[in-house]
Amino acid sequence: MLKTTLGCALAALALAAAFPVGAQPPEQPKPEELPEYPLLDKANKLVPISPDKKAVFAEVAPDGKDKTKVVRSALACEVCLREGPLEQFLCKKGTKEHEAIVRVDVDAEFVHGAVIAAGGKTGTPTGFVDPKTEEAKYTPATGSRVNVSVHYKYKGKLHTHAAQEWIWDTKKKTPMTHHWVFAGSRFIKDPDNPNAKPYYGANTGDIFSISNFPYSTLEIPAQISKDEAQLTYEAKTDKIPPLGSKVWVLLEVVPEKK
């Protein structure tokens, strides 16, 4: 009890020293507004493809007479974490903001649809069990490789770079070197209600994962446990704009080699 009381007193003294009577705590940086979308070509158009017409978009380019093609997709996201360990890069709003850098306010299946629109082909999420022996066995996620980048304002300047630059490998002292593949999550049926709409697994929050999860939309094809991710990867605070800042997350599918 004495230790607890003494600790509280010391904490109060430290706070008083930092903020004398009448002084105000320093103001938190204001969130950055969403910048204008960076079209790859002036002839292209940005088309909303989610029901709210605010979260998920496709960049469409002319492709011959009266034809168009999607050259990449984009998500309008918000910064929800700037420091601390990571297990996700992107989550659904209201789910795993404590371990993801950005969140998107839309159901994850629309993010899934955005990757398909950009030419992505679904693979399989990380496997943890051998279906034949039912013993523990790791199998890496598969699917189209997707390059993920961010476009945002910070300290009066525009920035565009790979999302990995916001994810710091504390052991290697470099940005994360892994890439993402379009694992595609899973649609889960309710065994007690077979007529109900299947639930898209990534809606639990695992949209763009760093550690391995069985329901991620985008997954890293390398063995990374939750504990390993927590110990290895953290947000690169000095590169990330203030909490609440709006950023574009850009998705480009890497064409398969023929």
Side-chain angles (χ1 to χ4, degrees):
M1 180 70 176
L2 179 59
K3 288 183 178 180
T4 302
T5 304
L6 180 59
C8 291
L10 290 173
L13 287 171
L15 186 62
F19 303 110
V21 175
Q24 296 295 322
E27 289 187 12
Q28 295 299 313
K30 292 183 179 179
E32 299 280 1
E33 297 294 329
L34 187 68
E36 184 178 351
Y37 178 82
L39 291 170
L40 291 169
D41 189 284
K42 291 181 179 180
N44 296 354
K45 293 182 179 180
L46 190 65
V47 179
I49 56 175
S50 57
D52 63 357
K53 298 185 179 181
K54 296 179 180 179
V56 186
F57 299 81
E59 182 177 347
V60 178
D63 186 29
K65 186 178 181 180
D66 298 326
K67 293 183 179 180
T68 59
K69 64 176 180 180
V70 176
V71 291
R72 68 178 175 186
S73 294
L75 312 174
C77 298
E78 181 178 74
V79 173
C80 57
L81 183 146
R82 296 186 70 242
E83 55 183 313
L86 301 170
E87 291 183 33
Q88 310 286 336
F89 170 69
L90 183 148
C91 70
K92 180 184 175 182
K93 185 177 180 180
T95 58
K96 295 188 174 182
E97 282 95 336
H98 61 289
E99 59 192 36
I101 296 177
V102 291
R103 63 186 182 184
V104 64
D105 191 10
V106 72
D107 282 350
E109 55 259 48
F110 295 109
V111 179
H112 180 112
V115 183
I116 289 179
K121 295 181 179 179
T122 57
T124 55
T126 300
F128 299 94
V129 177
D130 187 324
K132 295 182 179 179
T133 64
E134 296 186 354
E135 295 180 354
K137 180 182 178 182
Y138 164 78
T139 52
T142 64
S144 296
R145 176 170 174 167
V146 181
N147 290 338
V148 181
S149 56
V150 287
H151 179 74
Y152 59 101
K153 290 180 180 178
Y154 190 27
K155 296 181 179 179
K157 295 182 179 180
L158 279 173
H159 302 265
T160 306
H161 56 72
Q164 285 89 335
E165 292 189 27
W166 279 0
I167 304 168
W168 189 249
D169 186 321
T170 60
K171 295 180 179 178
K172 296 180 179 178
K173 306 300 181 184
T174 64
M176 186 180 76
T177 56
H178 296 296
H179 64 271
W180 281 281
V181 296
F182 184 30
S185 189
R186 292 188 177 97
F187 284 92
I188 306 162
K189 294 183 178 180
D190 183 350
D192 298 324
N193 189 0
N195 295 322
K197 180 184 176 181
Y199 181 79
Y200 186 71
N203 274 324
T204 58
D206 310 324
I207 303 183
F208 295 1
S209 296
I210 297 171
S211 59
N212 300 143
F213 290 95
Y215 300 119
S216 303
T217 302
L218 293 193
E219 178 77 272
I220 288 174
Q223 192 166 8
I224 305 174
S225 68
K226 293 178 66 175
D227 290 339
E228 184 181 354
Q230 288 276 343
L231 292 170
T232 303
Y233 300 105
E234 64 180 30
K236 190 73 169 67
T237 306
D238 61 333
K239 294 206 70 166
I240 303 171
L243 292 175
S245 295
K246 304 299 191 294
V247 303
W248 288 108
V249 174
L250 310 173
L251 313 175
E252 295 187 68
V253 174
V254 178
E256 294 182 5
K257 294 181 180 179
K258 296 182 179 181

